[in-house]
Structures are given as C-alpha cells and as structure tokens.
Amino acid sequence: MIELKGVTRRFGDAVAVDNIDLTIETGEVCVLVGSSGCGKSTTLRMINRLLPRTSGEILVDGEDINKADPEALRLNMGYAIQSTGLFPHWTVARNIGVVPDLLKWPTHKRDERVSELLTLLGLDPATDAIKYPHQLSGGQAQRVGVARALAGDPNILLMDEPFGALDAITRENLQQEMLRIQRQLSKTTVFVTHDIDEALKLATRIAVMDQGRIIQHDTPEAILRRPASAFVENLIGKGDRGLKLLALRTVGDVMERYPRPRQSDPLTEGLKETDSLRAALSVMVWQNSDQLPVLSEAGDAVGTVKREQLLQGGV
Amino acid sequence: MRPWLAPVALIAVLCALAALLPAMAPLFSWVEPNTDSLIYTRDSFWFLLQSHIWLVLVSATIGTLVAVSAGIFVTRPAGRDFLPLVSQVASIGQTVPPVAVLALAVPAMGFGEKPTLLALVLYGLLPILRNTLAGLGGINPAVLESAKGMGMSSAQVLFKVELPLAGRVILAGIRTSVTINIATAAIGSTIGARTLGDPVIAGLVNGNTAYVVQGAILIGLLALATDSLFEAIERAWGRTFSI
C-alpha cells in the first residue's frame, strides 16, 4: 500500500504538486492522468525518491520512504519510462537482469528469471536475449523496459507513460499484455499517462490531476458517470462517454452462456469473451445483426449475446 | 586479431629502424654528401626512443588521471558549479602553443626533463578533459534516470553505465593528447630533455639534414604506431561494449 499525505513539491516558486493526498491499495492499478505539466510525473518520481518532496509524507506499507535507503527502496520498485532508458551497451538479457544482479541473485536464478520474463512479454528467449537495444523496434524495446521493471519481482511497479511513444496498434497490444500480466501478478502499480482511454482501460482507480492537485480519484466507471468537475468532463469527452462506458465491460459479463459448448460452423464470425462491449457493438452494427455467437479460443460456441443485452450492459 | 596487425607491424618497423639506422650510413650520403658524420651518434637511437616514450607515457598517465577525475568531478552534483569554469579553461588552454608552455616552465623549474614533463602534462590535459566532458555529457539522460531508478548507487551508475558509454570518446581524447605529445616532447630537446628531438635539433644547429631526417623518421613512426595502437584499442572497446 502506498499513501501520500499532504505531499507538496515546489521547483523554485512554482508549485508542481500541491498538497495531494492519495492512497493506492495493494494490488491495484492506480492511473494518474492529466495534461502535461499537471504534476503526475513529479508525483510518480517522488514515490521512488528520484525527486525529493518539499513537504508531506509518503508511506509504503506504513513506513516513511525517507527512512529507507533510497537504493534499497528503488530495488523494490520496478520503474519503466517512456523513452525506455535501456542501457545501450548491454544485451537485452543483461538489461533485464540488472536488478537481479544488483540484488546479487545467483546466476542461474537470474537467467531463469530473464527467460521467464522474455516469454511473459512475448519475446523470444533464444533470439531476442542476445540483441542490443538499438536492434529492437520501439514496441520490443518497451517490452524489454517493462520486463526489466518486473525482473527483481518488486512489490510495486511505477510506470511513466511507458506506451506514450508507440504507434496505436503496438500501444493497444501492449495495453492488452499489461492487463494480462497484471491479472497474473497483481502488482501494486502507479501508472502515469495523458491518454484517458489508456487510463480507463488499465486502471482499477484513476486519479485525475490538474495544476498539481488531484481533482478526482475514483473507479473508471464512477469517473465516467459522475465527473467531479467540468475539467474531468472535458477530459473524458462528452461526445462518446456512453461508448467509453461500454468499453469498460466485456462480452463475458453480459452474455447468455450455454450449458455446454457447442460445435459451431468454422466460418461463423463471432465474438470473444474478452472483447469489450464497445467492440462487440461495433461488430453488430457492421454486420447488421441482433445477435452474435460467443466463441472460445478453440472456436466452439460457448454462448450468445444480443444487442439489447449489450446496450443494457452500459447502463 | 586483424585490428592489431597494423600497430604490431608499425612497432616492429620502428624498433628495426632504431636498431639499424646506424648501419644505413650510405643511404644518408645521398642527403648530405659533403660530410663524414652521416649518423647521429651522441646517443643511441634506442636510448632516445626509450627516453621519448617514457616522457610521453608518464605525462599521459598523469594527464589522463587528472583530466578524467576532473571531468568526473565536475559532472557530479557536488562539483557541478565548477563545470562552466573547467570547460572554459579546457577550451582556452588548447589555444596556448606548447612552445610557450615550455618557455614559461623553464624559469620556474630549470632545464631538463621536469619542465618538459610539466608542459606535456598541461598540454595533454585539455583534449582528454574536453572529451571526458563530451563523453559523459553525451549520454542519454533517460539512461541515467533509469539506471538510478533501477536502484543503482552513484558509484554503480558511474562505473557500470557512464564510463563504459563515455569510454570510447574519452579514449579518443587520450589518443589525440598522446599523439600531440609525441610531437611536443621532441621540442623538449631544446630545453635539455633527452628525446628523439635531439638529432633534429643537432641537425638544425649544425646544418646536417641527415640528423634531422633520422630524428624526424623515428618521431613520425612512433606517432603512427601509437595512433594505430589506439585505433585498435578503441575498436576493441567498441566490440566489448557494442556501441
């Protein structure tokens, strides 16, 4: 659990973070969202003490972080940033192994961990491990950056716009990976972004920041349904609020499940349980149908979903 | 192994010439037909070569230690206030000709090896310092930020990240410094240091071109050999750290 109590950070006369209170529960993904210069990165960097705070208290599991040794504190907090910051003179494997090395893990344990993480992030332990950062694509480099952050098995993960510089498709993929990894590992995560869609997708709770203050701290659904101010309303965009709400739920939440999976015609186009309601609706509109089968990975029909069910799901 | 071929060959030629020049008197009669003393004999070329190398080696070692430490110091938080001062001194110092440093050192330290060493150290400092600052300053700030964020201590960031990344640029500075100083050391002969400049000076004073040619050939070869040695080292560094 991370607690920020009355935390302020000034740069000269300018106040970057203004007396914020924020509690991040163990295992949740807290997304700090806001426009650039709102203090979200500053907040993040105060948690691992890359920036000292001007006043206030930051507690991790009840302990003030200023009491701990800063290096020991950071070794227990994975850190991934937008520009990756991979060490250009080290191979991918050595980059990922940096924290295990600093923690003096035995070599075989470190090597196992590195190949485990490469696999987890969809990289090939045989071919990608020996590459150097300049040989990677942007998406691969960012995967390595995330793997490096996870390598020491930290309790806390800090991510500063890790997918901000990627193209839309790669970003979408990595967001999916993040969700999958988070389901497996449930790390306490603080994630900074300026992209409200990314925030809605990844967050357990979102903290909307503006001019150094937290305007609203709530679940994605609550932020969409009850924005606290005109600023938040603008941020989430009034126009497609309903669609964003649909995007929060998956087909699995509203579908009618068959008692047992049925064989289906291999040519039928269907939905997956993990598809969002928004994507499902889009498919229905495109195919002009009222009802679509829901298929498992193997291609069996496990249920069906109707248009009315989808629309009610957003309510 | 191939990068090491050129330096090894050049060093072999240099040693062979230093040993065999005295036997090549007939060759120099082409250059200087009107005299009997065709070969510089006051000291052996071997001795002068060793003394020359020794001067350059000592000055380069001191210069490297001082310049790299200074470069590291002014890029740490504690020394950052000195950065503008030091980088300015480094640029200005480069514009002072080495002969001037020698001339100024003699009144303070007398004749011989010592003022030469001082001049060589001072003159050699600047390229190394400049390249150390450029090398350390040229590292992507995101790399340093993430190194710190990973939990490395300042010393670990310096030795695991900064120096390996800046190493090639620093090495290039040392290479420039040493190459310049091989030439500059020869001027030390004018104030009594024993270097390969001796035959050159003696030849100029006595109007004996053969002496000048002998000194110049050896100095030139020494500079070439050293330069290609550094090139091989830089390549090896690049391969080790794959930059």
Side-chain angles (χ1 to χ4, degrees):
Chain A
M1 187 164 76
I2 308 170
E3 292 162 278
L4 284 76
K5 293 180 181 168
V7 173
T8 297
R9 167 72 202 187
R10 290 194 192 86
F11 291 102
D13 286 336
V15 181
V17 173
D18 189 2
N19 193 23
I20 61 168
D21 295 292
L22 182 65
T23 303
I24 299 148
E25 301 291 343
T26 306
E28 86 168 332
V29 178
C30 174
V31 176
L32 303 177
V33 66
S35 42
S36 51
C38 71
K40 53 194 194 303
S41 285
T42 308
T43 307
L44 186 84
R45 287 153 53 89
M46 280 192 289
I47 296 175
N48 65 358
R49 288 183 62 188
L50 282 177
L51 282 175
R53 61 198 188 233
T54 310
S55 63
E57 263 191 315
I58 300 178
L59 308 176
V60 170
D61 296 328
E63 284 280 320
D64 191 317
I65 57 165
N66 276 11
K67 285 193 184 128
D69 172 52
E71 278 91 44
L73 179 85
R74 291 178 197 138
L75 285 172
N76 197 18
M77 290 184 179
Y79 186 51
I81 56 178
Q82 178 175 353
S83 40
T84 73
L86 294 180
F87 304 120
H89 56 310
W90 287 353
T91 58
V92 164
R94 196 157 172 216
N95 262 290
I96 298 176
V98 61
V99 175
D101 274 338
L102 290 171
L103 290 167
K104 301 204 164 55
W105 286 15
T107 319
H108 67 92
K109 188 178 167 197
R110 179 200 63 199
D111 293 345
E112 273 168 30
R113 180 71 179 154
V114 168
S115 52
E116 180 190 332
L117 281 167
L118 282 168
T119 316
L120 181 71
L121 282 142
L123 295 161
D124 183 355
T127 58
D128 290 328
I130 50 169
K131 284 185 182 162
Y132 282 89
H134 66 88
Q135 297 168 301
L136 302 174
S137 68
Q140 286 174 321
Q142 205 48 262
R143 282 165 200 265
V144 175
V146 174
R148 184 174 65 168
L150 288 167
D153 204 10
N155 292 329
I156 291 169
L157 207 52
L158 305 177
M159 310 186 93
D160 194 349
E161 304 208 28
F163 312 140
L166 302 174
D167 64 88
I169 295 167
T170 315
R171 183 163 62 227
E172 173 89 22
N173 279 338
L174 273 165
Q175 287 166 351
Q176 291 297 345
E177 308 265 301
M178 261 303 285
L179 283 172
R180 179 174 60 82
I181 292 166
Q182 183 60 16
R183 270 196 301 272
Q184 280 182 40
L185 308 175
S186 0
K187 303 272 182 204
T188 310
T189 306
V190 187
F191 190 108
V192 164
T193 181
H194 61 260
D195 176 357
I196 186 69
D197 290 311
E198 186 168 71
L200 291 167
K201 193 171 201 176
L202 298 176
T204 329
R205 282 196 291 170
I206 296 175
V208 181
M209 290 187 72
D210 184 36
Q211 294 176 352
R213 292 165 189 273
I214 292 180
I215 309 289
Q216 189 172 11
H217 181 213
D218 220 327
T219 60
E221 185 162 351
I223 297 243
L224 279 173
R225 288 190 191 279
R226 296 179 296 277
S229 69
F231 177 82
V232 182
E233 216 168 339
N234 259 332
L235 186 73
I236 55 183
K238 276 184 200 161
D240 58 351
R241 198 144 72 166
L243 290 175
K244 281 177 175 156
L245 215 45
L246 280 178
L248 294 179
R249 296 246 188 119
T250 60
V251 172
D253 296 338
V254 297
M255 65 188 254
E256 230 167 77
R257 214 172 279 272
Y258 297 142
R260 63 172 55 87
R262 297 176 193 172
Q263 285 280 325
S264 74
D265 181 355
L267 292 175
T268 359
E269 277 204 56
L271 300 163
K272 284 192 299 236
E273 273 194 60
T274 50
D275 284 342
S276 72
L277 295 190
R278 179 182 178 148
L281 186 66
S282 167
V283 174
M284 278 187 188
V285 170
W286 180 250
Q287 301 194 349
N288 195 20
S289 57
D290 296 331
Q291 188 172 356
L292 279 174
V294 180
L295 305 178
S296 69
E297 292 292 339
D300 294 331
V302 290
T304 176
V305 68
K306 294 198 179 73
R307 186 145 74 192
E308 301 89 81
Q309 288 171 318
L310 280 187
L311 296 176
Q312 277 157 16
V315 180
Chain B
M1 259 348 266
R2 277 190 49 206
W4 300 98
L5 211 64
V8 167
L10 280 167
I11 290 169
V13 173
L14 176 67
C15 292
L17 264 186
L20 298 178
L21 265 185
M24 295 160 88
L27 214 61
F28 289 102
S29 59
W30 287 74
V31 185
E32 201 68 29
N34 305 324
T35 171
D36 288 339
S37 51
L38 288 168
I39 299 295
Y40 183 82
T41 47
R42 209 172 304 155
D43 288 299
S44 76
F45 289 115
W46 256 121
F47 168 78
L48 292 176
L49 179 63
Q50 279 171 25
S51 167
H52 196 113
I53 291 176
W54 180 245
L55 267 175
V56 173
L57 205 63
V58 170
S59 64
T61 310
I62 299 175
T64 303
L65 284 177
V66 172
V68 173
S69 327
I72 290 172
F73 172 70
V74 297
T75 48
R76 300 306 100 183
R80 205 166 285 276
D81 293 346
F82 296 96
L83 178 59
L85 179 76
V86 168
S87 59
Q88 235 161 24
V89 169
S91 311
I92 295 170
Q94 194 83 116
T95 63
V96 180
V99 183
V101 181
L102 278 182
L104 291 173
V106 171
M109 305 178 76
F111 287 90
E113 249 93 56
K114 275 191 204 157
T116 312
L117 262 183
L118 176 78
L120 291 182
V121 168
L122 284 182
Y123 203 64
L125 275 180
L126 306 165
I128 307 177
L129 181 59
R130 253 209 324 213
N131 277 38
T132 307
L133 292 178
L136 291 175
I139 299 173
N140 180 354
V143 170
L144 297 180
E145 154 116 7
S146 74
K148 218 175 149 196
M150 290 297 123
M152 286 192 193
S153 66
S154 317
Q156 284 166 331
V157 176
L158 178 65
F159 289 108
K160 284 175 185 263
V161 181
E162 294 189 82
L163 286 182
L165 285 178
R168 213 171 164 181
V169 181
I170 298 177
L171 257 175
I174 299 175
R175 176 179 174 180
T176 312
S177 161
V178 167
T179 316
I180 292 176
N181 273 357
I182 285 172
T184 312
I187 305 174
S189 288
T190 55
I191 57 164
R194 316 295 292 279
T195 74
L196 288 171
D198 285 9
V200 178
I201 304 288
L204 288 174
V205 171
N206 302 326
N208 187 331
T209 317
Y211 289 2
V212 178
V213 171
Q214 287 152 25
I217 285 177
L218 290 177
I219 296 171
L221 259 178
L222 177 60
L224 278 177
T226 314
D227 197 60
S228 78
L229 187 65
F230 268 102
E231 178 159 332
I233 297 175
E234 276 177 41
R235 280 205 198 157
W237 185 284
R239 261 202 313 281
T240 311
F241 294 107
S242 176
I243 323 167

